[in-house]
Each structure stands twice: as C-alpha cells, then as structure tokens.
Amino acid sequence: MAEPLVVLKDVNKHFGDLHVLKDINLEIGKGEVVILIGPSGSGKSTLCRTINRLETFESGSITIDGKELPEEGKALAELRADVGMVFQSFNLFAHKTILENVTLGPIKVRKVPKAQAEKRAMELLERVGVAHQAAKYPAQLSGGQQQRVAIARSLAMDPKVMLFDEPTSALDPEMINEVLDVMIGLAREGMTMVVVTHEMGFARKAAQRVVFLADGQIVEQATPEEFFTNPKSDRAKDFLGKILTH
Amino acid sequence: MGEIFANYDIVGAVWKTIQLAVLSAIGATVIGTIVAVLRVSPVPVLRGIGTTFVNTFRNTPLTVLMIMSVLGFSFLLGLQIREDFADNAFWWAVIMLSLYHAAFVCEALRSGINTVPAGQAEAARSIGLTFKQSLLEVILPQSFRGAIAPLVSTYIALIKNTTVAAVIGVAESAGILATITENEGGSLPLFLVFALIFVVLTLPLGVLGTNLSRKLAVKR
C-alpha cells in the first residue's frame, strides 16, 4: 500500500449516551478507494463526516497528508479545502447558478481569478456532463445532475481526498448509474476516495477495500470480492444476508 | 383645513417622519444584522451578548426608551448628541428607534436563517469557506430572502412607531397633530389626513415586500 494519506487513530465519539465511534483505527493510502459499509446506525456516515470534522470527536486523532485536524477556525477551513465532500442531499447552494456553485470555492478560498475559475469550472461540468446547464439554478436540475454538479464543485478545489456520504441514496434508480459512472471515472484516475454506499456493483468495479462497520466499530476489512463472497464475521454475514436475498 | 395647512408646517413634519423612519431603518438593519450574526455564532459568549440585547430591547416599551434617552441620558447624565434641543431629541429618537427595532430585525433574520437547510452551511464549510465567508456568501443571502416577509412587517411597525418620538418633542407627524389639536381643537378630518399619510407611507412597502419575496424566493 502507498503511504497513508488519511490516518485515523483511536477515534472515539459519543452522541449523548450513544457511543457512535469506538476506537476507530483506519489508514487510507494515496489513490485508494475505500468503501464504508454497514447497517443503519453503525456509524459509517458519522465516520465519513468526522474525516473533515463536520462531526467533532472526543478522543483520538485524524491526520490528512501528515497534518492533524485542527480545531474549528481558519486552519480547519484550509484543511477542508483539500478534502472534497459529496452529500446524500447534494447541498448545492440554492441561490447560486450551477457555474457559481463550482467557482465559489476556487474564487473565495483559492483566490483564483474569476475568468480562470469559470474556464476550469466549465471543463469540470463538461466532464460530468452538465455543462449545458451552467446558467441554471440547482432546483431546475434532476437529482442525478445536481449530484454530478456537487462532484464537480468538489473537484474544482483539487482535493487530495474525496468523501462521499451515501451519494446515490437520495436518487431515483435511473439516475444512480450516471453518478456512479462519474465516480468510477474518478477512481480510475487515481483519486483517493472514501465512499459510504451500499452499491456493490460500484464497490466491485472501483474499490480496493471494503470496511464493514457495526455498532460504531470496524468489524471486518477485505477486498470487495472477498467481502461480498466470503465474509468472515457473523455480523457481516448477517448483514449481507439481509441485503443480498432480494 | 386649508388654514391649518397654512399655519402649521405639516409637510415639514411628515418629512421629519420620513427622515426618522429611513435613518432608523438603516440603523436597525445594520445593528440587527450584527446581533443576528452574534446569536448564530459558534462562540457562547457572543451568543449570550446577542440574546441579552434582544431580550432587553424587545421587552422594553419604546416610550420608556424614548423618555429615558432625553430625560435620563441627556438631562441627568449630560449625554448630549447635539447642542440644539430639537436636534438632540431627533438623534436620540433615531438611536432608540434603531436599537428597539434592531431586536426585531435580528429575530426576523434569525427566522430567515432557520429557513436555510443545515446542509447549505455544511457544504459551504466543506469547500473550505471560513465561518465569515459561509455567512456572507451562502447563509445570509438566502436568509434575507426568507426573512423578507417578517422584515417588511418590522419596517412597517417602525414607520408607525416613529410617532412615539413625539413624547420627547420631535416635531414629526404625531407631534404636530398633537400641537394642532391642542391649539385649534380636535378635528376628525385632520386625524384622517394623518392616518392616510401613514397608509401612503406603509402600504407600498407591504406590496413591494410581497412582490420581492415572490420574485427572490430561493427555489429548493
């Protein structure tokens, strides 16, 4: 494995009395695509959101490219600029056009001149197949298109790693593949990705590793092929039994 | 009626009302926005300051604030804004109207902020915007649009509340109405004229507000 880009050491988090992350230790190498999978409430989304500190944690440490996650403030904002995030509910800025959504970060955070940011944004929108929608507002696009714009918005920051928090869960079935295709393309180009998803087809095609979580703990890690055909733990067998029988 | 218009500077009084309203609206908007930012900030001390401000000014009668300004601050503590008595009262009225309505502007904005889904702020932070940038670029522009209706109500109330400045001798519409009534006796048509003046000032604002909130509504 390449030198780890993201390192989580003994990360613990509570929501009140609920211990949602228990001593999480995880290393993600440069260019690696890791799938976080697990039953509802297992902490997989929370873990994903903890990596760019949208969720705080109480103990342990998270480092990204050798830098430890700082406290809330300017330094954290700088670090977040290097970590792309794609949400289940897209979260495009509702009052800005598609083009403005993609150029906001580069212009405000990276201080890229507007013309240059727009040129690059158009290239990215072209790449995810929504360039002809650049002047529209998010509400005018379909869910699949919005999610592809969200991916372009993250890419515009040239992130070192991208986090995907159930990127296809809010989509109509016929729109899932258009988003997954873009993600598979990214994976092939060597983007480091952490993806919370139940899309096994995507896992098999693009991921190097599946991390199975249950009750806030990492129960099992394996290659997608190994995990889906021959899970080791009872918890994973039980979980796969439930999602594979249909 | 014509005689009254000739003998009293009614136009000047209405102009005073408009000046009071416009200056106080600007003051209330600026202060109210700052207080709203304090109230949503991640720092507990700042939130406390914002909450205290709102509770203080929202729960104190405007008349009490007005009287306190001139009788309390100016006469007892010697806090004169201007040498001239009428000017001093006018600027105190602007300050008190601004502070009082800032509390309401703050709460209108906060209700606007609540119309912005949490995901918008998360997305803003995740592309590396600082707290200030997230507010200015993403949260506040959407909040203002969601807050147009309650803001318009606040501004309409402010325009009518300028009449409270009459209690500290500011020669605005209600002040001159009181003076005329005292000198010439009460006259129903005159009351109606003044009521109408306020309708003319406030009604277009309401219509504008409705149109704006329809036009600028953030589609989700």
Side-chain angles (χ1 to χ4, degrees):
Chain A
M1 196 202 291
E3 186 185 323
L5 184 66
V6 180
V7 181
L8 290 86
K9 263 200 201 110
D10 302 319
V11 172
N12 276 286
K13 178 181 177 64
H14 291 80
F15 279 131
D17 286 338
L18 189 67
H19 200 168
V20 278
L21 296 179
K22 296 173 188 161
D23 293 320
I24 299 288
N25 284 288
L26 186 65
E27 292 188 350
I28 296 153
K30 208 171 195 166
E32 200 182 3
V33 176
V34 173
I35 305 288
L36 300 180
I37 201 168
S40 171
S42 60
K44 53 193 192 302
S45 272
T46 308
L47 179 58
C48 182
R49 290 161 55 85
T50 312
I51 295 175
N52 72 348
R53 225 171 185 282
L54 281 180
E55 298 286 350
T56 55
F57 51 95
E58 289 114 31
S59 65
S61 72
I62 298 179
T63 56
I64 293 170
D65 206 9
K67 270 181 272 179
E68 191 159 337
L69 278 192
E71 291 291 310
E72 198 72 44
K74 249 206 162 79
L76 181 61
E78 274 166 30
L79 192 128
R80 278 189 183 131
D82 290 335
V83 181
M85 177 102 193
V86 175
F87 301 87
Q88 181 177 351
S89 47
F90 331 131
N91 295 344
L92 293 179
F93 304 129
H95 64 305
K96 292 192 180 285
T97 64
I98 298 308
L99 185 65
E100 288 166 347
N101 263 276
V102 182
T103 56
L104 182 67
I107 292 173
K108 293 289 164 188
V109 180
R110 301 268 194 243
K111 314 290 179 204
V112 175
K114 192 172 174 222
Q116 194 184 325
E118 283 181 351
K119 186 167 165 282
R120 167 110 166 94
M122 286 311 292
E123 288 166 11
L124 289 167
L125 289 172
E126 190 73 53
R127 174 176 166 183
V128 299
V130 283
H132 56 295
Q133 314 272 28
K136 290 193 181 165
Y137 286 87
Q140 296 170 284
L141 271 59
S142 73
Q145 290 172 328
Q146 288 193 50
Q147 194 61 301
R148 285 183 280 149
V149 173
I151 293 173
R153 177 174 67 180
S154 291
L155 285 176
M157 299 302 290
D158 294 316
K160 290 175 182 161
V161 49
M162 284 182 77
L163 312 172
F164 293 81
D165 186 7
E166 306 209 29
T168 55
S169 301
L171 295 175
D172 290 335
E174 80 268 23
M175 292 170 185
I176 290 176
N177 279 336
E178 64 192 50
V179 172
L180 291 180
D181 286 344
V182 171
M183 291 170 62
I184 290 168
L186 281 177
R188 297 232 162 103
E189 283 164 35
M191 176 62 75
T192 310
M193 293 160 72
V194 178
V195 186
V196 178
T197 186
H198 290 152
E199 296 290 338
M200 276 179 296
F202 172 75
R204 282 177 199 251
K205 257 187 229 164
Q208 278 91 51
R209 184 156 46 126
V210 171
V211 174
F212 176 73
L213 282 110
D215 303 323
Q217 279 173 314
I218 295 180
V219 178
E220 189 171 340
Q221 302 191 42
T223 62
E225 207 50 49
E226 176 80 11
F227 179 77
F228 289 120
T229 52
N230 186 22
K232 298 270 181 306
S233 62
D234 291 341
R235 201 76 178 76
K237 281 177 196 162
D238 177 54
F239 173 72
L240 287 174
K242 278 176 187 149
I243 64 168
L244 291 177
T245 45
H246 296 286
Chain B
M1 187 74 98
E3 213 174 277
I4 288 173
F5 271 86
N7 294 341
Y8 296 91
D9 186 11
I10 291 176
V11 174
V14 173
W15 175 232
K16 207 79 183 177
T17 296
I18 294 172
Q19 284 177 308
L20 269 181
V22 171
L23 290 170
S24 309
I26 294 170
T29 308
V30 172
I31 300 168
T33 307
I34 294 170
V35 178
V37 170
L38 291 181
R39 286 205 78 175
V40 299
S41 85
V43 186
V45 178
L46 297 182
R47 278 205 302 273
I49 293 172
T51 310
T52 308
F53 178 94
V54 170
N55 283 338
T56 306
F57 286 101
R58 195 170 56 171
N59 297 315
T60 313
L62 183 56
T63 316
V64 172
L65 287 174
M66 283 292 176
I67 294 174
M68 196 166 68
S69 69
V70 168
L71 296 185
F73 298 148
S74 262
F75 291 178
L76 296 179
L77 302 177
L79 288 171
Q80 296 273 359
I81 301 173
R82 290 289 156 86
E83 290 286 322
D84 181 64
F85 179 84
D87 266 3
N88 185 51
F90 175 81
W91 284 106
W92 269 117
V94 169
I95 290 172
M96 287 308 176
L97 282 167
S98 297
L99 289 172
Y100 178 79
H101 291 94
F104 293 90
V105 168
C106 165
E107 293 305 281
L109 282 179
R110 227 158 53 90
S111 77
I113 288 171
N114 288 335
T115 67
V116 183
Q120 295 283 310
E122 288 187 350
R125 284 189 286 159
S126 76
I127 58 167
L129 296 181
T130 60
F131 176 73
K132 192 175 140 200
Q133 285 173 325
S134 308
L135 269 180
L136 291 179
E137 297 293 331
V138 177
I139 310 300
L140 285 179
Q142 294 187 52
S143 308
F144 272 113
R145 294 164 205 220
I148 288 173
L151 274 178
V152 165
S153 298
T154 304
Y155 293 132
I156 289 175
L158 185 152
I159 291 174
K160 295 185 293 178
N161 285 344
T162 55
T163 52
V164 178
V167 301
I168 54 170
V170 178
E172 46 66 73
S173 306
I176 206 160
L177 179 63
T179 311
I180 297 171
T181 308
E182 222 169 274
N183 296 346
E184 316 284 334
S187 131
L188 218 45
L190 192 67
F191 287 132
L192 284 176
V193 166
F194 275 95
L196 205 65
I197 287 171
F198 278 93
V199 171
V200 169
L201 290 177
T202 54
L203 204 61
L205 198 60
V207 174
L208 183 78
T210 313
N211 285 343
L212 267 183
S213 55
R214 220 178 272 149
K215 212 163 143 190
L216 294 177
V218 181
K219 292 182 189 65
R220 301 199 188 280

